[in-house]
């Protein structure tokens, strides 16, 4: 599910005051032009209100589920945006999306650090380890996108978050795709609205951006017995068939951007070796499985309020 999302919506002063009245920890400052600006919090969102509009920045996952341990679907995204819209009296389906992060939690069979050690260099991105977190980012930190891997439960313990009983003793690898800069050029070449986050075609593009990035990471190699190598070959053939099906659908819809991403995935898949480590094979298979779960769900309705 989308984790951190930043919305911008234009509004009038009356509506702005209604929103301000619902915020916690409100701070007001007066600008040189005489306009009073407000900052505050609403549940999991930071909210800034000025004379012409409202910024909201926060985790849809935390707002909807209460945490970002569970992986939501497209339908959950729609329900979260509708709920936040109703709470604040705003139509966030029509709001501009100016910041976006996609996150997934993967339960792994082994400790998270072992998987991170198997992820090597990425094409056109700099690999950087900060503590126990692994980053792949552009040399210019303000541009393009950043892919991040870390131990989710370790991170929660470090900041004092409660870990539900059902997650105790598990290994949870967190993978995030943080889109930076102008989303219109990073993702789809169009202005993005809240309703786009609920649409199948847009979700497919964002997920394929993440899968292309993962596919371009060099993986640690490992020797296998012939039977296991054959099994991995069959898995890749199945994945290739699924990608070809998605390419045909993108061509039919004339979705050029998504078609290009899918062809990149297919090309990267063809270069995958049978000697890729068992840990990264597991991680890739679980990412693929999650991608289909995430893209399932309902379309955005016409009206949010």
């Amino acid at each position: 599910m989308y984790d951190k999302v930043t919305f911008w919506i234009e509004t009038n002063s009356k509506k702005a005051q209604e929103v301000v009245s619902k915020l916690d920890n409100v701070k007001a400052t007066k600008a040189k032009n005489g306009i009073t600006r407000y900052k505050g919090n609403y549940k999991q969102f930071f909210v800034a209100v000025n004379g012409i509009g409202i910024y909201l920045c926060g985790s849809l996952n935390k707002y909807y589920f209460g945490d970002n341990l569970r992986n939501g679907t497209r339908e959950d995204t729609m329900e979260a945006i509708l709920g936040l819209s109703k709470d604040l009296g705003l139509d966030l389906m029509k709001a501009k999306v100016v910041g976006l992060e996609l996150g997934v939690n993967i339960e792994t069979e082994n400790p998270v650090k072992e998987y991170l050690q198997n992820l090597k260099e990425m094409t056109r991105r700099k690999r950087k380890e900060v503590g126990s977190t692994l980053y792949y980012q552009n040399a210019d930190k303000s541009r393009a996108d950043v892919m991040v891997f870390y131990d989710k439960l370790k991170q929660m313990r470090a900041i004092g978050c409660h870990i539900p009983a059902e997650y105790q003793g598990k290994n949870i690898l967190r993978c995030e795709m943080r889109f930076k800069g102008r989303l219109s050029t990073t993702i789809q070449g169009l202005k993005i609205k809240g309703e786009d986050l609920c649409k199948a075609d847009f979700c497919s593009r964002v997920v394929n951006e993440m899968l292309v990035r993962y596919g371009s990471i060099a993986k640690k190699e490992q020797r296998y017995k012939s039977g296991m190598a054959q099994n991995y070959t069959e898995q890749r053939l199945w994945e290739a068939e699924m990608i070809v099906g998605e390419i045909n659908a993108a061509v039919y819809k004339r979705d050029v951007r998504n078609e290009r991403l899918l062809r990149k995935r297919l090309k990267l898949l063809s270069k995958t070796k049978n000697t890729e480590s068992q840990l990264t094979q597991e991680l890739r298979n679980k990412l693929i499985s999650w991608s289909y779960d995430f893209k399932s769900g309902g379309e955005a309705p016409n009206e949010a309020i």
Side-chain angles (χ1 to χ4, degrees):
M1 186 173 178
Y2 304 105
D3 191 21
K4 185 178 178 181
V5 181
T6 305
F7 296 101
W8 161 256
I9 185 167
E10 294 182 4
T11 189
N12 56 48
S13 58
K14 181 181 178 181
K15 179 65 72 174
Q17 286 302 316
E18 290 176 2
V19 171
V20 170
S21 69
K22 298 176 182 180
L23 304 182
D24 297 320
N25 306 316
V26 178
K27 294 183 179 179
T29 57
K30 183 165 283 191
K32 292 181 179 179
N33 58 8
I35 296 176
T36 302
R37 299 174 179 175
Y38 302 90
K39 295 180 181 180
N41 301 98
Y42 183 79
K43 295 186 178 180
Q44 303 295 338
F45 277 79
F46 166 78
V47 183
V49 182
N50 59 31
I52 59 173
I54 301 172
Y55 273 104
L56 298 97
C57 180
S59 170
L60 281 179
N61 218 326
K62 289 180 181 179
Y63 167 80
Y64 189 65
F65 293 116
D67 58 52
N68 61 352
L69 276 169
R70 281 166 280 191
N71 295 322
T73 64
R74 197 159 49 89
E75 186 175 4
D76 295 325
T77 297
M78 180 178 68
E79 293 296 330
I81 295 175
L82 288 173
L84 189 59
S85 295
K86 184 177 181 181
D87 287 353
L88 295 176
L90 300 171
D91 187 355
L92 294 178
M93 287 293 183
K94 303 303 180 185
K96 293 180 181 178
V97 177
V98 295
L100 185 64
E101 293 182 9
L102 177 65
V104 54
N105 296 310
I106 299 172
E107 184 178 347
T108 57
E109 297 175 8
N110 299 283
V112 171
K113 65 179 182 180
E114 295 182 16
Y115 295 82
L116 304 191
Q117 291 167 355
N118 278 254
L119 299 176
K120 302 304 180 183
E121 301 302 318
M122 179 193 284
T123 307
R124 298 180 181 178
R125 292 293 183 276
K126 181 180 178 181
R127 185 184 190 277
K128 184 178 180 180
E129 292 185 62
V130 179
S132 57
T133 302
L134 175 59
Y135 295 88
Y136 291 96
Q137 60 191 32
N138 197 295
D140 181 352
K141 295 181 181 180
S142 66
R143 298 181 60 192
D145 50 69
V146 179
M147 196 167 195
V148 187
F149 298 89
Y150 59 91
D151 186 325
K152 180 60 182 174
L153 299 188
K154 183 177 180 179
Q155 180 251 2
M156 292 180 71
R157 292 188 192 98
I159 59 177
C161 288
H162 169 70
I163 299 175
E166 62 265 33
Y167 291 95
Q168 295 287 349
K170 292 186 176 181
N171 302 303
I172 306 294
L173 186 152
R174 176 79 172 176
C175 174
E176 293 179 354
M177 191 75 175
R178 302 174 182 175
F179 296 98
K180 309 190 78 174
R182 293 186 177 182
L183 295 186
S184 58
T185 56
T186 304
I187 299 177
Q188 68 170 22
L190 298 171
K191 291 182 179 179
I192 303 166
K193 295 183 178 181
E195 61 189 1
D196 292 316
L197 304 185
C198 313
K199 295 178 179 178
D201 290 348
F202 181 81
C203 287
S204 182
R205 291 176 190 176
V206 175
V207 167
N208 283 321
E209 289 275 6
M210 175 183 275
L211 294 176
V212 165
R213 290 285 176 263
Y214 180 77
S216 65
I217 299 173
K219 317 301 194 298
K220 183 177 179 179
E221 296 187 17
Q222 178 179 342
R223 291 184 178 276
Y224 296 104
K225 295 179 180 179
S226 59
M228 291 185 66
Q230 178 63 30
N231 184 44
Y232 291 145
T233 300
E234 291 174 357
Q235 288 178 1
R236 288 202 303 278
L237 287 172
W238 172 84
E239 187 180 340
E241 289 177 0
M242 299 296 288
I243 294 174
V244 169
E246 289 191 64
I247 289 173
N248 291 335
V251 170
Y252 178 77
K253 295 178 181 178
R254 297 182 180 179
D255 189 344
V256 178
R257 176 79 184 219
N258 205 23
E259 179 191 350
R260 188 181 303 120
L261 287 169
L262 287 161
R263 292 191 186 280
K264 282 184 180 179
R265 277 185 60 194
L266 194 61
K267 184 176 180 180
L268 289 167
L269 183 63
S270 69
K271 295 180 179 179
T272 303
K273 300 177 181 178
N274 276 347
T275 52
E276 181 180 318
S277 78
Q278 189 172 352
L279 296 180
T280 53
Q281 289 274 0
E282 176 199 342
L283 183 54
R284 182 166 61 84
N285 290 340
K286 289 181 176 178
L287 273 172
I288 296 297
S289 177
W290 158 79
S291 72
Y292 287 109
D293 289 339
F294 172 68
K295 288 184 287 186
S296 66
E299 290 288 351
N302 293 327
E303 298 293 335
I305 302 295

